[in-house]
Amino acid sequence: MGAEAGAPWGWTDAHRALRVAVVGATGAVGRELLELLSAARHPRERIDCQARGRSRVALADGRAFEVRPADEAPGRCDLAFLCTPSEVSLDLAPLLVESGARVIDLSSAHRMHPGIPLVVPEINGKELDRGPRLVANPNCTTAIAALPLSVIDRAAGLEEVVVVSYQAASGAGLPGLRALEAEMREAAGVPADERESPFPAPLALNVIPAVSELDESGVSGEERKIEGELRKILGRAGLAVEATTARVPVQRCHSVAVHARLSRELAPADAASLLRAAPGIAVSEDPHGPRPRECAGTDPVHVGRIRSGARGGRSLCFFAVGDQLRKGAALNALQVAARLPARRP
Amino acid sequence: MGAEAGAPWGWTDAHRALRVAVVGATGAVGRELLELLSAARHPRERIDCQARGRSRVALADGRAFEVRPADEAPGRCDLAFLCTPSEVSLDLAPLLVESGARVIDLSSAHRMHPGIPLVVPEINGKELDRGPRLVANPNCTTAIAALPLSVIDRAAGLEEVVVVSYQAASGAGLPGLRALEAEMREAAGVPADERESPFPAPLALNVIPAVSELDESGVSGEERKIEGELRKILGRAGLAVEATTARVPVQRCHSVAVHARLSRELAPADAASLLRAAPGIAVSEDPHGPRPRECAGTDPVHVGRIRSGARGGRSLCFFAVGDQLRKGAALNALQVAARLPARRP
């Protein structure tokens, strides 16, 4: 899939002079980032791809990027994107910062650290003005929900938010996508070769109502991330947030049904106008949309079904869909990098 | 699929002496009702199948039931199940009642009529004690959400309820199921013969965030049904209910994520105990369950992911899955009939 829509996302010649490392380049998010860097015309010779695992090639933008083993020294770079598991990011981020690079960590390792900014540029991009060396990129579902919620919060003050998700297979990376595709073939009577799955149950023709493990309170890790990260990104430490996360048989794009309680009245038509005017958001006029299948590979968070809830104007409901590999991960990280000073710290 | 689990649902020899009409016998709900009547050992010669459309045979319980055209005189029966569109039920129900039959209408035609009971037997079965001639059977998603919510309401008083659904293709009947199955084959590279679909967009690998048409407020008909019917079934006219309904690529079983606000504190463990003890409910101990694929063809409403929300003990969240052709339709209707006097009114 090409990645031209919206390119180059503020990526200037100054950014193109940076030596960029993509660590975890062979995963779903790493590959998406390579697509976006290519679309932003970043010189290929200034992209250093690294990954663990056996694969030494990352296919993106119709080309093969050579991939170095990630357990070698990270190498000298100006800007590093960590598309790595949290434990790897925890090790690697300090080393890279010490070496003089700026680091954008797409894992959850640093997100809730009080001293480290967690940024969706359209919402709290000003946190980047002081040129932080390490920036955390939010959870995919959080980023998608946060963008429209920030608009509603500024207009009418959020009091309480319920977020219920419909998350795509590729939220669990390429193994998740492959497992779903194999199960789909099997359901259609085509023998499937693949048997491994990152999911605890078949996902084809199913809904799995827990995207990650549960804590002792019965809340999933994914639900805790949405609660904590939404508060931090919106700058609303006391905001009441409640989430249910579920995996659905969709290849790409997470969807969220949002039911919000507001401090002040906000008519749905006014909410729609504000959302239409907000950067990074597309308002869907389709009465049966937005839908993940149609939104895959696009940049914005698509918002539809905007309506009042049980408290009239003091409640607002909407349905939002975003490509979790784009705005939910790689695109947001690139937008963060584009707003940072385009030079070594 | 056999229908033996839980049979015969209070169906006694007195019920088996009744002449039963199933109108709309060739649809998904009508066929399910024939399965259940067979499992409850209702004599086949006392089942009068009727339907519009071309098909003159309903396959159920591995047998072929002969189907009379529904535009003939309804015929003399003691008990009629109307698995018909609302406009047909509106015409037919008064004629049947006048002819001396009891009528259970599975359409939405009579549900919100103040004089007509809308019944989930485990919740408000006492409404059947006075032997009403016409009983309305609730919307499928409503019935599934109502059963656990009634237990929570009795224990801790519901103040506000958010219901977000993941609804199966067969909620749109056999055409919905066939459309999904054809799309699944197509997605797996198998040429699909079928092109017709009751859905406004492809459902395979998708989520369609509106199960029916929207009103001028942007609320779907399905969402309005959940709001109004939940209030009526729970006997809580002023209860604040808010719903988002969405169709997902699942063959059978609707799922709901429920976020409730309570008048009094209720610990999740206590809620689980109460739900475990309640008739018609199965509490799932699977941390990644319950799931629709595994619950298909079962009688109970399966409840899991029971936990507190943003208001601590004064908020309760859970995930419920029910077979919308069983408890959401045919099974509930049969249970209603089983509690009515087993004689002509």
Side-chain angles (χ1 to χ4, degrees):
Chain A
M1 191 176 305
E4 283 298 332
W9 308 287
W11 207 246
T12 63
D13 282 341
H15 296 100
R16 292 183 191 102
L18 298 174
R19 286 163 303 173
V20 170
V22 177
V23 191
T26 55
V29 174
R31 275 166 47 161
E32 190 68 23
L33 198 47
L34 293 177
E35 296 275 2
L36 298 181
L37 284 166
S38 299
R41 301 189 302 280
H42 196 87
R44 196 173 168 174
E45 65 275 15
R46 283 189 216 117
I47 301 176
D48 177 16
C49 296
Q50 303 174 36
R52 296 203 283 191
R54 282 166 306 166
S55 175
R56 298 275 62 91
V57 161
L59 291 173
D61 191 38
R63 300 184 297 173
F65 286 78
E66 192 185 331
V67 176
R68 290 198 300 124
D71 42 6
E72 289 180 9
R76 193 170 149 76
C77 68
D78 305 312
L79 175 66
F81 294 97
L82 302 186
C83 310
T84 40
S86 287
E87 61 276 17
V88 178
S89 292
L90 277 176
D91 281 351
L92 213 50
L95 292 178
L96 284 161
V97 167
E98 203 173 332
S99 80
R102 283 190 208 282
V103 177
I104 296 163
D105 182 11
L106 285 82
S107 84
S108 64
H110 298 97
R111 288 179 194 153
M112 295 311 294
H113 191 295
I116 297 173
L118 175 67
V119 178
V120 175
E122 296 91 335
I123 302 174
N124 59 346
K126 65 179 185 308
E127 306 237 4
L128 303 173
D129 293 345
R130 57 195 165 84
R133 307 274 290 267
L134 173 58
V135 181
N137 202 61
N139 165 272
C140 45
T141 310
T142 307
I144 291 160
L147 204 43
L149 278 172
S150 70
V151 175
I152 306 306
D153 190 35
R154 279 196 300 271
L158 292 173
E159 276 189 356
E160 206 169 286
V161 180
V162 172
V163 176
V164 176
S165 75
Y166 304 69
Q167 297 187 216
S170 56
L174 295 174
L177 191 59
R178 286 193 201 109
L180 172 61
E181 289 170 351
E183 290 172 13
M184 293 277 295
R185 286 193 296 278
E186 204 162 34
V190 181
D193 38 354
E194 195 118 359
R195 271 290 163 282
E196 282 175 37
S197 169
F199 306 123
L203 180 59
L205 301 169
N206 214 356
V207 175
I208 305 177
V211 162
S212 52
E213 297 307 309
L214 309 186
D215 65 19
E216 67 288 350
S217 310
V219 178
S220 77
E222 187 81 358
E223 288 154 4
R224 287 275 182 241
K225 287 176 189 172
I226 292 172
E227 294 168 21
E229 294 181 26
L230 263 186
R231 289 189 196 108
K232 183 169 175 178
I233 295 167
L234 299 178
R236 293 286 313 277
L239 182 64
V241 181
E242 213 169 88
T244 294
T245 55
R247 189 82 65 189
V248 294
V250 160
Q251 287 165 303
R252 193 170 161 148
C253 283
H254 291 349
S255 306
V256 284
V258 178
H259 291 246
R261 309 287 169 231
L262 312 176
S263 305
R264 301 180 291 281
E265 297 239 334
L266 180 65
D270 295 334
S273 297
L274 293 168
L275 290 165
R276 238 176 249 116
I281 294 175
V283 171
S284 167
E285 309 295 342
D286 183 340
H288 305 105
R291 296 179 296 273
R293 191 162 151 170
E294 285 88 340
C295 295
T298 67
D299 287 353
V301 173
H302 302 261
V303 182
R305 301 289 329 273
I306 302 162
R307 62 203 191 277
S308 291
R311 294 186 190 175
R314 283 198 46 208
S315 50
L316 192 83
C317 313
F318 61 85
F319 196 84
V321 179
D323 189 320
Q324 91 287 354
L325 294 174
R326 291 260 173 123
K327 188 58 192 170
L331 173 61
N332 194 73
L334 193 75
Q335 290 170 322
V336 164
R339 269 201 63 164
L340 285 167
R343 47 178 168 73
R344 285 179 74 82
Chain B
M1 190 176 305
E4 284 298 331
W9 307 288
W11 207 247
T12 64
D13 282 342
H15 296 101
R16 292 183 190 101
L18 297 174
R19 285 163 304 174
V20 171
V22 177
V23 190
T26 55
V29 174
R31 276 166 47 161
E32 190 68 23
L33 198 47
L34 294 177
E35 296 275 3
L36 298 181
L37 285 166
S38 299
R41 302 189 301 281
H42 197 88
R44 197 172 167 175
E45 65 275 15
R46 283 190 216 116
I47 301 176
D48 177 17
C49 295
Q50 303 174 36
R52 295 204 283 192
R54 283 166 305 167
S55 175
R56 296 277 62 90
V57 163
L59 291 173
D61 191 38
R63 301 184 298 175
F65 287 77
E66 191 185 331
V67 176
R68 291 197 299 125
D71 42 5
E72 289 181 8
R76 193 168 149 79
C77 67
D78 304 312
L79 175 66
F81 294 97
L82 303 186
C83 310
T84 39
S86 287
E87 61 275 18
V88 177
S89 292
L90 276 176
D91 280 351
L92 213 50
L95 293 177
L96 284 160
V97 166
E98 204 174 333
S99 80
R102 282 190 210 281
V103 177
I104 297 164
D105 181 12
L106 285 83
S107 85
S108 64
H110 298 96
R111 288 179 192 152
M112 295 310 293
H113 191 295
I116 297 173
L118 175 68
V119 178
V120 175
E122 297 91 335
I123 302 174
N124 59 345
K126 65 179 188 304
E127 306 236 6
L128 303 172
D129 293 346
R130 57 195 166 84
R133 307 275 290 267
L134 173 59
V135 182
N137 201 62
N139 166 271
C140 44
T141 310
T142 308
I144 290 161
L147 205 43
L149 278 172
S150 70
V151 175
I152 306 306
D153 190 36
R154 279 194 301 270
L158 292 173
E159 275 188 356
E160 206 168 285
V161 180
V162 172
V163 176
V164 176
S165 75
Y166 304 69
Q167 299 187 214
S170 56
L174 295 175
L177 191 58
R178 285 193 203 110
L180 172 61
E181 289 170 350
E183 289 172 14
M184 293 277 296
R185 285 193 297 278
E186 205 163 34
V190 181
D193 38 355
E194 194 118 357
R195 271 291 164 282
E196 282 176 35
S197 168
F199 306 123
L203 181 59
L205 300 169
N206 214 356
V207 174
I208 305 177
V211 163
S212 52
E213 297 307 309
L214 309 187
D215 65 18
E216 67 287 349
S217 311
V219 177
S220 77
E222 188 81 357
E223 288 155 5
R224 286 275 182 239
K225 287 177 189 172
I226 292 172
E227 294 169 20
E229 294 181 26
L230 264 186
R231 290 189 195 107
K232 183 169 176 179
I233 295 167
L234 299 176
R236 294 285 314 276
L239 182 66
V241 181
E242 213 169 88
T244 294
T245 56
R247 188 83 64 189
V248 294
V250 160
Q251 287 165 305
R252 193 169 161 149
C253 281
H254 291 349
S255 306
V256 284
V258 178
H259 291 245
R261 309 288 169 230
L262 311 177
S263 305
R264 301 180 292 280
E265 296 238 336
L266 181 64
D270 295 335
S273 297
L274 293 168
L275 290 165
R276 238 176 247 116
I281 294 175
V283 171
S284 167
E285 309 295 343
D286 184 340
H288 305 105
R291 296 179 296 272
R293 192 161 150 170
E294 286 88 341
C295 295
T298 67
D299 287 353
V301 173
H302 302 262
V303 183
R305 302 290 328 274
I306 302 163
R307 62 204 191 276
S308 290
R311 295 186 189 176
R314 283 197 48 206
S315 51
L316 193 83
C317 314
F318 61 86
F319 196 84
V321 179
D323 188 322
Q324 92 286 355
L325 295 173
R326 290 259 174 124
K327 189 58 192 171
L331 173 61
N332 193 74
L334 193 75
Q335 290 170 322
V336 164
R339 269 200 65 163
L340 285 167
R343 49 178 167 71
R344 285 179 74 82

